[in-house]
């Protein structure tokens, strides 16, 4: 088992990574506040992993409420959030109840938001089951639901008590989801960790073949990057925004097409290529650099062209981005491969040109 820590003073917490961890309830027990927990999952992950996990907790003397949500990004909304509250209230879950999110980023983001608000805040634990959630969304305390006008627009910063990433569960993940997770892995290399990017370039085939050691290494190195950034800037006043490379373009694709049509990681991949193209227009990246960004995403089986929404629609959707300040759109771009910046330097004409060139 590999362990990392997210250093946030009295809210610091461990990330435990390894194959088969889900079968060991002892790992969770020290982070449960009282004897009462609610395990919240969805109707795809539940049939695979809920029974054994919940029974393991019950065998350790815990009272377990089980809540099963509908699957998918299209259900990351108020209605599904209310299903969580319905389940908690009807089971009389009190303020000492620890919520456990068992699932991908959709479940994790919603359970985190439920934990932040149920009875003004209860503890929660992340048990991420997709590659994307293991390398990104389960760490750092961003929780949210979507609004029809924008992705993740309603939410809170609320840190989990621990993250338990069992890499064995990635064996049941659909191929397309595995590839979507790789987009966020590649992101860390592009924004701040050139040696990691080189490692990914060398080990991409092993990752795609689900080699256990390669996946554990990718999860650990990704989480280390994420933990460092979150420790430096928990509430995204500055450097944390660099974790959103490709996300402003990507969120426009997700919102523009309707949630769930493109996977989040797919949209981020196409967005990262648009960001690289725009960085070239600002004179920061060479043609060779842009080709390197395109090529690694292509090798990972990710989209290398954005959805054809039209530049006007992209710009309209991008104007809702959370990085807009005083009406000015700020983007995460690359000063170099391995070095991201947050900038308002790109002109509307250049942004438009990159959208048109990359879609
Ligand atoms: P997801 O949660 O929809 O999971 C993808 C699919 O895989 C779902 O159908 C799910 O039920 C299924 N699944 C999950 N684990 C499985 C397993 N082990 N075996 C088989 N199937 C499994 O999607 P995701 O990619 O995990 O997360 C995307 C979400 O994460 C988006 O809503 C995005 O906004 C959010 N996100 C949040 C952060 C953050 O910092 N909070 C960061 C990145 C992404
Ligand atoms: N995924 C972006 C962040 O956590 O800040």
């Amino acid at each position: 088992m590999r362990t990392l820590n997210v250093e946030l003073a009295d809210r610091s917490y461990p990330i435990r990574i390894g194959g088969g961890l889900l079968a060991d309830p002892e790992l969770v027990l020290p982070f449960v506040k009282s004897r009462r927990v609610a395990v919240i999952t969805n109707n795809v992950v539940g049939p695979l992993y809920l029974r054994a996990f919940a029974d393991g907790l019950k065998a350790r003397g815990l009272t377990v409420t089980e809540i099963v949500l509908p699957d998918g990004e299209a259900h990351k909304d108020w209605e599904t959030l209310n299903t969580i509250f319905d389940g908690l209230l009807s089971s009389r879950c009190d303020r000492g109840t620890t919520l456990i999110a068992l699932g991908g980023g959709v479940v994790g983001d919603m359970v985190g938001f439920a934990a932040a608000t149920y009875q003004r805040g209860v503890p929660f634990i992340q048990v991420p089951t997709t590659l994307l959630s293991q390398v990104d969304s389960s760490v750092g305390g961003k929780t949210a639901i979507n609004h029809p006008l924008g992705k993740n627009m309603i939410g809170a910063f609320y840190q989990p008590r621990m993250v338990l990433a069992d890499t064995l569960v990635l064996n049941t993940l659909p191929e397309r989801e595995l590839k979507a997770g790789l987009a966020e892995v590649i992101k860390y290399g592009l924004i701040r960790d050139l040696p990691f990017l080189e490692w990914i370039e060398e080990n991409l085939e092993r990752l795609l073949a689900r080699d256990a050691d390669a996946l554990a290494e990718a999860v650990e190195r990704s989480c280390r990057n994420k933990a460092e950034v979150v420790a430096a800037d928990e509430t995204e006043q500055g450097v944390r925004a660099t974790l959103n490379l490709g996300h402003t373009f990507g969120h426009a694709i997700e919102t523009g097409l309707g949630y769930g049509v493109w996977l989040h990681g797919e949209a981020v991949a196409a967005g990262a290529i648009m960001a690289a193209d725009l960085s070239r227009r600002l004179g920061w990246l060479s043609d060779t650099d842009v080709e390197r960004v395109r090529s690694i995403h292509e090798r990972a089986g990710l989209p290398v062209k954005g959805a054809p929404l039209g530049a006007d629609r992209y710009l309209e959707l991008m104007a809702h981005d959370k990085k807009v300040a005083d009406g000015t759109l700020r983007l995460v771009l690359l000063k170099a491969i391995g070095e991201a910046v947050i900038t308002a330097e790109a002109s509307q004409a250049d942004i438009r040109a990159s959208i048109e060139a990359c879609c």
Side-chain angles (χ1 to χ4, degrees):
M1 181 171 73
R2 305 165 188 234
T3 299
L4 300 169
N5 270 304
V6 183
E7 302 292 351
L8 289 168
D10 58 340
R11 290 172 300 114
S12 298
Y13 56 93
I15 307 168
R16 304 213 193 284
I17 302 160
L21 302 189
L22 210 56
D24 187 357
E26 297 293 337
L27 293 171
V28 169
L29 293 186
F31 303 93
V32 167
K33 190 174 170 188
S34 71
R35 304 308 292 169
R36 185 160 200 136
V37 299
V39 181
I40 301 153
T41 186
N42 70 24
N43 58 9
V44 170
V45 179
L48 293 169
Y49 301 111
L50 177 60
R51 196 64 284 118
F53 183 63
D55 286 351
L57 296 172
K58 284 177 194 164
R60 299 301 188 287
L62 298 189
T63 302
V64 183
T65 294
E66 298 171 13
I67 301 173
V68 180
L69 308 175
D71 178 47
E73 186 74 40
H75 294 286
K76 192 180 173 185
D77 57 12
W78 278 115
E79 196 184 337
T80 313
L81 189 69
N82 243 336
T83 309
I84 301 178
F85 297 137
D86 290 346
L88 296 174
L89 286 165
S90 58
S91 305
R92 297 199 166 75
C93 289
D94 58 18
R95 288 178 123 174
T97 305
T98 301
L99 309 195
I100 304 181
L102 175 68
V106 170
V107 168
D109 279 15
M110 278 196 294
V111 172
F113 189 36
T117 49
Y118 185 68
Q119 302 203 5
R120 302 198 181 90
V122 291
F124 91 109
I125 290 172
Q126 289 273 19
V127 183
T129 61
T130 61
L131 180 60
L132 186 140
S133 57
Q134 294 189 355
V135 300
D136 191 350
S137 64
S138 63
V139 176
K142 275 191 183 177
T143 74
I145 56 170
N146 297 327
H147 186 279
L149 290 178
K151 262 276 299 163
N152 295 333
M153 280 293 160
I154 319 293
F157 285 101
Y158 195 68
Q159 300 293 340
R161 294 284 173 106
M162 83 162 303
V163 179
L164 186 76
D166 181 347
T167 47
L168 206 60
V169 305
L170 300 178
N171 284 332
T172 55
L173 199 60
E175 185 86 8
R176 188 176 165 202
E177 300 289 350
L178 183 83
K179 290 172 176 170
L182 287 174
E184 302 281 16
V185 175
I186 293 166
K187 173 190 80 179
Y188 294 111
L190 291 175
I191 63 169
R192 71 190 302 271
D193 192 345
L194 191 53
F196 185 33
L197 186 74
E198 288 161 357
W199 181 88
I200 300 164
E201 287 170 331
E202 278 161 27
N203 290 279
L204 202 47
E205 279 66 37
R206 287 176 67 210
L207 291 168
L208 286 165
R210 302 181 203 225
D211 176 283
D213 289 337
L215 283 172
E217 180 77 9
V219 174
E220 182 186 350
R221 291 176 79 163
S222 298
C223 286
R224 194 181 304 138
N225 274 293
K226 178 118 191 206
E228 284 172 9
V229 173
V230 168
D233 178 22
E234 182 185 6
T235 57
E236 199 168 308
Q237 304 305 305
V239 68
R240 183 165 181 172
T242 60
L243 295 173
N244 287 329
L245 177 73
H247 285 55
T248 305
F249 295 105
H251 285 167
I253 295 173
E254 292 185 83
T255 308
L257 291 179
Y259 300 125
V261 177
W262 277 38
L263 302 182
H264 177 71
E266 293 171 342
V268 165
I273 294 162
M274 290 190 229
D277 182 87
L278 189 51
S279 306
R280 181 181 57 78
R281 287 173 202 274
L282 288 166
W284 297 338
L285 293 192
S286 66
D287 289 347
T288 312
D289 291 332
V290 178
E291 175 50 27
R292 186 175 179 183
V293 176
R294 199 198 60 77
S295 158
I296 189 163
H297 287 99
E298 185 173 62
R299 284 179 57 209
L302 287 159
V304 291
K305 288 251 175 226
L309 302 174
D312 287 341
R313 181 76 177 127
Y314 268 97
L315 292 169
E316 182 189 326
L317 290 162
M318 287 163 69
H320 287 288
D321 190 84
K322 288 195 278 310
K323 285 183 294 304
V324 170
D326 297 328
T328 304
L329 177 62
R330 295 174 313 135
L331 290 167
V332 181
L333 299 179
L334 296 172
K335 275 273 176 190
I337 301 283
E339 186 191 343
V341 285
I342 307 140
T343 178
E345 275 184 62
S347 68
Q348 283 286 107
D350 276 343
I351 299 172
R352 180 178 286 277
S354 284
I355 294 167
E356 282 165 357
C358 297
C359 293

